[in-house]
Amino acid sequence: RPPLLLKARETSNGSNFPVQVLVVHNRSLGGIEDSRRGERVRAKRLAQAQFVANIVQDIQEANPEVNLIVTGDFNAYQFTDGYVDVVGQITGQSVEADNLLWEPSPVWPTLTNQVEKINPRQQYSFVFAGSAQVLDHTLTSSNMEQLVVDLKFARGNADVPSNLVTDESSAMRASDHDGVVLFINKDSDNDGVFDSRDMCPMTSVPETLPTKGLKPNHFALIDGDSMFDTKGSSQSFTLEKTAGCSCEQIAAEQNIGFGFAKHGCSVGIMNNWVRRVNHE
């Protein structure tokens, strides 16, 4: 069951949001403690986790700002089983001392297991011999940290009586695992402002302005963060406050001349724009 990688781009409502989803179905825990087969099973689980971890790292190195989701049936808990920390190897957070078998994970920056952020009472997707446990996880790259809204399991299987498996009149218990749903916001231009709020697509941070130097009481995105840089002003502006628009974009939207390009946007230009986008 090799991993399947989906490369997609969501373009509804003017968005242009790229995302990659790596779907896995790792080897089961079956036989892991067997005196004859256990050693092979444990070795296979580690080898497969490292195989997936290397795919993850190749994707991250190709694009450090990738919106990556790794999801599916990991056949592993959100913590180590004592033999192999399958999920930890793939997130890059496995600890050698906690495992019988271990190899350094290539994954950096580490991934976040979104299952660990939900209510502990909801942290299960499968029931084995009366034990509710998580085997299905959703891991996200660092660039998605501010985009994730929530994670929920669709409770149509694990909580449902197993005798419904053969009941053709019911959609319940179609599987022994619950489906997992990740809710995210979109940030197409990666400027820290969600598409639902962003009035300026393709924002460049830092921007190319000013060409001559920033004047007092003028503003521009110089340092590469979401806070507008300024000199001698008591006011402050962020990309969130300007609805995702840089000085250059604000000037273009208001059809202002090119003087701003030399020294940044004046405090008057910034205030007028903020009032406009916030309907003040």
Side-chain angles (χ1 to χ4, degrees), residues 48-58 89-92 105-107:
Q48 188 177 48
Q50 284 293 95
F51 179 80
V52 175
N54 277 288
I55 294 175
V56 167
Q57 191 56 24
D58 286 346
Q89 292 285 159
I90 297 171
T91 63
S105 173
V107 176

Side-chain angles (χ1 to χ4, degrees), residues 34-230:
D34 185 85
S35 59
R36 182 174 58 87
R37 298 186 298 133
E39 183 176 356
R40 176 179 61 85
V41 171
R42 296 190 291 266
K44 277 181 171 287
R45 283 170 61 81
L46 176 61
Q48 188 177 48
Q50 284 293 95
F51 179 80
V52 175
N54 277 288
I55 294 175
V56 167
Q57 191 56 24
D58 286 346
I59 293 170
Q60 291 199 127
E61 289 180 359
N63 180 8
E65 296 183 342
V66 66
N67 296 313
L68 175 64
I69 300 167
V70 185
T71 192
D73 179 5
F74 288 73
N75 270 311
Y77 313 124
Q78 65 269 47
F79 42 77
T80 181
D81 55 34
Y83 296 112
V84 179
D85 186 0
V86 169
V87 174
Q89 292 285 159
I90 297 171
T91 63
Q93 301 179 66
S94 179
V95 177
E96 181 176 9
D98 295 341
N99 298 277
L100 179 65
L101 298 180
W102 181 88
E103 290 182 11
S105 173
V107 176
W108 183 262
T110 59
L111 305 185
T112 298
N113 188 355
Q114 295 297 331
V115 164
E116 295 181 328
K117 293 189 174 185
I118 66 175
N119 188 319
R121 295 176 64 87
Q122 294 298 320
Q123 291 185 20
Y124 70 95
S125 64
F126 179 79
V127 178
F128 178 75
S131 173
Q133 52 198 247
V134 181
L135 298 182
D136 307 88
H137 304 270
T138 297
L139 319 177
T140 54
S141 59
S142 58
N143 204 60
M144 294 199 66
E145 191 63 29
Q146 303 303 315
L147 303 181
V148 175
V149 177
D150 197 5
L151 177 140
K152 291 184 182 297
F153 288 105
R155 300 300 184 196
N157 295 314
D159 290 345
V160 179
S162 59
N163 61 2
L164 289 180
V165 169
T166 57
D167 187 345
E168 296 181 358
S169 67
S170 173
M172 297 295 187
R173 199 69 184 188
S175 168
D176 53 353
H177 290 247
D178 281 331
V180 59
V181 184
L182 184 72
F183 298 86
I184 62 173
N185 281 307
K186 298 176 293 182
D187 181 8
S188 298
D189 54 5
N190 204 35
D191 64 355
V193 180
F194 301 144
D195 288 0
S196 57
R197 160 77 176 158
D198 200 334
M199 291 186 61
C200 294
M202 304 303 293
T203 303
S204 178
V205 183
E207 57 185 317
T208 58
L209 307 178
T211 58
K212 298 293 186 181
L214 197 61
K215 271 188 175 182
N217 293 314
H218 284 63
F219 297 82
L221 295 166
I222 296 174
D223 292 345
D225 57 25
S226 62
M227 176 71 70
F228 280 81
D229 300 283
T230 187

